[in-house]
Amino acid sequence: MRTTVYRLTLLTAVFMLMASCSMNRKRELTIYVGLYEDHAIKVIESFQKETGIKVSYVSLSNGEIFNRIRAEREKPGSSVWFGGPSETFIHARKEGLLRSYFSKNAEFIDTQYKDRQGYWTGIYVGSIAFVSNKAWLQENGLAYPHSWEDLLKPQYKGMITMPDPRTSGTGYTILGTLVQLLGEDEAFLYLEKLHEQVNSYPTSGSVPGRYVGSGQAGAAIMFSHDAVKFYKEGFHDIFVSFPEEGTGYEIGAVAIIKGAPQLEEAKLFVDWVLKREIQELGKKVGNFQIPTNREALPPDEAYHLEDLNVIQFDHQWAGENRERLLKRWVKEVLKK
């Protein structure tokens, strides 16, 4: 009898010790960040304060995040992919790199801004624009570009910058826009001509705005909200215009990586970034995307899709065909 009581007491003590260790375990979360770092930091700080979960992050361009997740397939080094155009997320899902999760807060996100099987959920949207240096345009006697054909004028030769679609989600959204607007073969003929005008293909989608703002380039193709950010930061020679034939747009997304080492923490983070008040944090640190949560208030400076000539952009098709289109771009445009 005494032996039985002793064993029960010992087991109880062991269970209490295990529970105590579990309760005292320091909760952590590692994420890959594909949006502006200042925006990510604001969200991460609020999440840490609310949950007590310590967050570590690595900031990369969208294509770089995809390549890293692919390389880490057997042993993921992160649990969440936070930000960047959904086409790359769709490519990742196609390769089995993401984990489905239906957040309770996804009900506030309209159907067109989320994956039906829960592999990614939109957190913001933003349009592709032409971003020009006003002083350079005036010096060359040019009006603001309002057509894709305008960028092929002789004065633009060597003065255009756009992000590399292999590494930049912005760059691939531009490529996907042209293919869906013009048809694939016509789009690649156009891109070959545009290549003769381009002076650089930065790996990051936002860098072209800095080049234009500082006068290193006359015009860029990039997201309109990034251009607004640079203007607000002091690059007042920046001017934003849109192609009259039509433009595309991104759905910036969040997803859980398959095999996430911190799964429960990852789910909490996805829940967090879909909330109205969290999606409104971006504008507090100078970011001007449109939130996807239908109850969130967009920045006053944001360009709304309904005010633009936006094409019926098929994000699913663009994501599923990403690898093929990138190979064609390298072969036919870069001639490699």
Side-chain angles (χ1 to χ4, degrees), residues 40 52 99 123 133 142 153 172 182 190 214 221 224 276 280 282 287 333:
R99 185 189 193 281
I123 50 177
N133 182 290
L142 292 168
K153 291 178 178 179
Y172 184 70
L182 303 175
Y190 174 84
S214 62
I221 313 170
S224 58
R276 173 191 58 78
E280 291 178 354
N287 291 277
V333 178

Side-chain angles (χ1 to χ4, degrees), residues 143-164:
Y144 304 121
H146 289 289
S147 165
W148 290 101
E149 289 297 318
D150 284 344
L151 301 183
L152 301 182
K153 291 178 178 179
Q155 295 95 323
Y156 283 94
K157 188 174 180 63
M159 291 303 295
I160 294 176
T161 179
M162 65 169 276
D164 189 324

Side-chain angles (χ1 to χ4, degrees), residues 105-116 120-123 125 251 274 279 291-295:
N105 294 329
E107 64 178 288
F108 299 101
I109 315 298
D110 290 338
T111 302
Q112 68 266 33
Y113 298 138
K114 58 189 176 184
D115 179 67
R116 293 179 183 276
W120 58 268
T121 309
I123 50 177
V125 296
I251 304 171
L274 299 183
Q279 291 200 5
T292 54
N293 186 309
R294 69 179 71 93
E295 296 184 354

Side-chain angles (χ1 to χ4, degrees), residues 26-87:
K26 191 174 183 179
R27 302 181 73 186
E28 297 181 346
L29 175 65
T30 303
I31 67 176
Y32 289 145
V33 168
L35 43 64
Y36 269 107
E37 200 166 353
D38 56 357
H39 189 169
I41 289 171
K42 188 73 173 177
V43 173
I44 288 169
E45 287 177 345
S46 68
F47 179 72
Q48 290 183 143
K49 183 177 180 180
E50 177 69 20
T51 65
I53 297 170
K54 179 176 173 54
V55 179
S56 302
Y57 73 92
V58 178
S59 181
L60 298 165
S61 64
N62 219 31
E64 291 170 333
I65 293 174
F66 170 81
N67 290 335
R68 180 170 288 201
I69 294 173
R70 178 194 259 173
E72 297 173 341
R73 179 192 294 267
E74 300 303 321
K75 188 178 180 181
S78 180
S79 296
V80 174
W81 183 353
F82 179 41
S86 61
E87 295 85 57

Side-chain angles (χ1 to χ4, degrees), residues 9-21:
T9 303
L10 180 60
L11 285 172
T12 301
V14 169
F15 285 134
M16 289 180 66
L17 179 62
M18 291 174 63
S20 175
C21 290

Side-chain angles (χ1 to χ4, degrees), residues 30-287:
T30 303
I31 67 176
Y32 289 145
V33 168
L35 43 64
Y36 269 107
E37 200 166 353
D38 56 357
H39 189 169
I41 289 171
K42 188 73 173 177
V43 173
I44 288 169
E45 287 177 345
S46 68
F47 179 72
Q48 290 183 143
K49 183 177 180 180
E50 177 69 20
T51 65
I53 297 170
K54 179 176 173 54
V55 179
S56 302
Y57 73 92
V58 178
S59 181
L60 298 165
S61 64
N62 219 31
E64 291 170 333
I65 293 174
F66 170 81
N67 290 335
R68 180 170 288 201
I69 294 173
R70 178 194 259 173
E72 297 173 341
R73 179 192 294 267
E74 300 303 321
K75 188 178 180 181
S78 180
S79 296
V80 174
W81 183 353
F82 179 41
S86 61
E87 295 85 57
T88 320
F89 287 73
I90 292 165
H91 186 182
R93 180 205 163 175
K94 182 180 177 181
E95 293 203 7
L97 301 176
L98 302 182
R99 185 189 193 281
S100 176
Y101 174 57
F102 290 94
S103 169
K104 60 184 179 182
N105 294 329
E107 64 178 288
F108 299 101
I109 315 298
D110 290 338
T111 302
Q112 68 266 33
Y113 298 138
K114 58 189 176 184
D115 179 67
R116 293 179 183 276
Q117 278 73 50
Y119 284 92
W120 58 268
T121 309
I123 50 177
Y124 58 81
V125 296
S127 52
I128 293 294
F130 299 149
V131 180
S132 307
N133 182 290
K134 291 186 285 187
W136 180 83
L137 289 176
Q138 291 169 2
E139 289 170 7
N140 287 273
L142 292 168
Y144 304 121
H146 289 289
S147 165
W148 290 101
E149 289 297 318
D150 284 344
L151 301 183
L152 301 182
K153 291 178 178 179
Q155 295 95 323
Y156 283 94
K157 188 174 180 63
M159 291 303 295
I160 294 176
T161 179
M162 65 169 276
D164 189 324
R166 294 170 295 180
T167 57
S168 164
T170 309
Y172 184 70
T173 302
I174 294 167
L175 175 56
T177 294
L178 287 164
V179 168
Q180 295 186 48
L181 175 68
L182 303 175
E184 189 168 324
D185 291 339
E186 284 298 315
F188 276 93
L189 288 174
Y190 174 84
L191 286 163
E192 287 184 63
K193 296 175 183 176
L194 183 67
H195 180 66
E196 298 302 314
Q197 312 287 76
V198 172
N199 65 26
S200 64
Y201 293 104
T203 58
S204 167
S206 61
V207 168
R210 192 173 297 279
Y211 288 171
V212 171
S214 62
Q216 297 177 62
I221 313 170
M222 56 185 291
F223 285 128
S224 58
H225 50 263
D226 289 341
V228 175
K229 181 177 181 66
F230 283 122
Y231 183 87
K232 291 282 190 178
E233 289 177 355
F235 291 103
H236 292 155
D237 267 342
I238 280 178
F239 184 85
V240 178
S241 58
F242 295 90
E244 58 191 14
E245 304 97 325
T247 194
Y249 68 98
E250 72 164 326
I251 304 171
V254 65
I256 296 177
I257 297 165
K258 187 174 181 180
Q262 304 131 336
L263 181 57
E264 294 309 311
E265 289 82 0
K267 290 178 179 179
L268 288 173
F269 187 81
V270 172
D271 294 341
W272 185 255
V273 300
L274 299 183
K275 295 170 68 174
R276 173 191 58 78
E277 60 270 28
I278 304 308
Q279 291 200 5
E280 291 178 354
L281 288 178
K283 61 186 177 182
K284 295 182 179 180
V285 288
N287 291 277

